[in-house]
Amino acid sequence: MKKTVPVQNQMNGVFVHVTNLKVSAKWYSDLLGLDIDVDHVKSPVYNVPLVGTTSLTLDDHTFDPEFQHVTSPGPIFNLYTPTIEEAYHYIEEKGIEIVRDIERVGDTAWFNIKDPDGNVVMICNC
């Protein structure tokens, strides 16, 4: 029997901590093939428009002068691709830093990249 708890089994959003909101909003939008007018990007957060129910929020912490940006050595989230090799070449052509080449376990494949702030993002086929 499933227990009733006040925290739901549902992921609503991912926050990515950035140092320059406009640069990051442009970078993520370009990566995902989205149009953006950076003049409409206003601190402290920008919500990258995604398909699905999970949101991607870029946060520059201008409201918190004591905040220190620290990146994780591992991926903080992943973005989906149905064709891992095509995605890898797309990333190479854009000149985005690849920090882990394509790896495979069974039918699952992934590689890791870095955003302008050094946040690691996984590109994965699952």
Side-chain angles (χ1 to χ4, degrees), residues 18 20-23 25 36-47 57-63:
V18 301
N20 186 314
L21 191 61
K22 289 185 181 209
V23 167
I36 185 171
D37 180 351
V38 293
D39 292 333
H40 289 101
V41 174
K42 304 292 183 211
S43 185
V45 297
Y46 176 73
N47 293 305
T57 300
L58 307 177
D59 186 347
D60 70 6
H61 289 271
T62 56
F63 59 87

Side-chain angles (χ1 to χ4, degrees), residues 56-114:
L56 175 58
T57 300
L58 307 177
D59 186 347
D60 70 6
H61 289 271
T62 56
F63 59 87
D64 183 2
E66 295 182 25
F67 179 79
Q68 294 186 357
H69 184 266
V70 178
T71 59
S72 169
I76 55 176
F77 68 93
N78 75 31
L79 293 168
Y80 173 71
T81 180
T83 54
I84 200 74
E85 291 84 6
E86 188 176 326
Y88 190 88
H89 294 300
Y90 172 75
I91 295 298
E92 283 183 316
E93 289 172 2
K94 290 194 153 304
I96 295 172
E97 182 180 357
I98 297 170
V99 295
R100 190 169 195 149
D101 285 327
I102 295 174
E103 296 187 38
R104 299 174 192 280
V105 174
D107 292 335
T108 303
W110 66 91
F111 65 95
N112 297 346
I113 63 174
K114 278 190 180 177

